[in-house]
Amino acid sequence: PASSGSTSSKNLIKSDINIYPNPANNVISISNLDNFDLLQIKDLLGKVVHKKNISKVNNTTIDVQTFSTGTYLLNLEGSESSISRKIVIE
């Protein structure tokens, strides 16, 4: 049987999320969050070290002064997609 040729694709989320400064030592600012509802920061072992509801928010800041020096994963989740970005705390 021939393929119908139709492909189901959700709306692609632009990944133009701005995270700055990166590396950081005091505060991280994150912008262009329109399509996301939940922000999580996890250490490299997968432990959630910060969680924030970001629905109806385009920009946010996170105080990272209490974080240990190292690399973390910033996860953004929305109804249409999710993305991860690496952040470094100095």
Side-chain angles (χ1 to χ4, degrees):
S3 172
S4 66
S6 67
T7 56
S8 172
S9 65
K10 291 183 176 181
N11 292 337
L12 295 177
I13 303 298
K14 292 186 289 182
S15 58
D16 56 349
I17 303 302
N18 292 322
I19 303 169
Y20 53 93
N22 191 13
N25 49 23
N26 292 322
V27 174
I28 290 180
S29 296
I30 307 164
S31 60
N32 295 330
L33 297 172
D34 289 333
N35 297 305
F36 300 100
D37 302 313
L38 179 66
L39 177 151
Q40 288 185 333
I41 297 177
K42 297 180 182 180
D43 64 18
L44 293 181
L45 298 175
K47 179 183 172 192
V48 175
V49 296
H50 184 82
K51 188 175 186 177
K52 186 172 189 176
N53 181 346
I54 55 168
S55 60
K56 304 194 186 344
V57 171
N58 187 41
N59 303 303
T60 192
T61 58
I62 299 168
D63 183 350
V64 296
Q65 293 182 69
T66 60
F67 288 29
S68 298
T69 300
T71 302
Y72 295 82
L73 292 176
L74 173 77
N75 297 316
L76 298 167
E77 298 177 15
S79 60
E80 299 284 325
S81 84
S82 63
I83 64 168
S84 293
R85 294 288 185 266
K86 184 171 72 169
I87 57 173
V88 176
I89 307 302
E90 294 183 328

